[in-house]
Amino acid sequence: NGFYYRFYSINLPTGLFIEVTDAQVSADWGTAISWGSVKELTTTAIEEQYFSNQNGGAGTFFRNVKGRWK
């Protein structure tokens, strides 16, 4: 009856952003309750943390990153 978490780091395409202004993540992982948050964000990578009431199993993770283009 607890919550579990996972960390993911994703590299953004090289040279895409000169400034990142916003990022959001979410998840559809587990049987009922799941959510995500941005842990760290740079112009080259995003580190995410996801929480769920299910340990393991398949999930779908979403991210939206906004910024200025090079």
Side-chain angles (χ1 to χ4, degrees):
N1 290 342
F3 281 91
Y4 304 92
Y5 64 92
R6 294 179 181 179
F7 289 103
Y8 289 104
S9 294
I10 303 294
N11 290 327
L12 299 173
T14 303
L16 180 63
F17 292 111
I18 60 172
E19 177 186 26
V20 175
T21 57
D22 186 38
Q24 295 135 13
V25 298
S26 62
D28 183 9
W29 169 46
T31 56
I33 302 169
S34 58
W35 72 92
S37 66
V38 176
K39 187 170 184 278
E40 188 173 336
L41 178 65
T42 67
T43 58
T44 59
I46 182 171
E47 186 174 347
E48 310 154 350
Q49 184 173 14
Y50 293 98
F51 301 89
S52 175
N53 65 330
Q54 176 177 315
N55 186 16
T60 304
F61 303 93
F62 307 93
R63 66 194 52 84
N64 183 12
V65 179
K66 297 178 184 177
R68 289 187 330 150
W69 296 81
K70 185 172 184 180

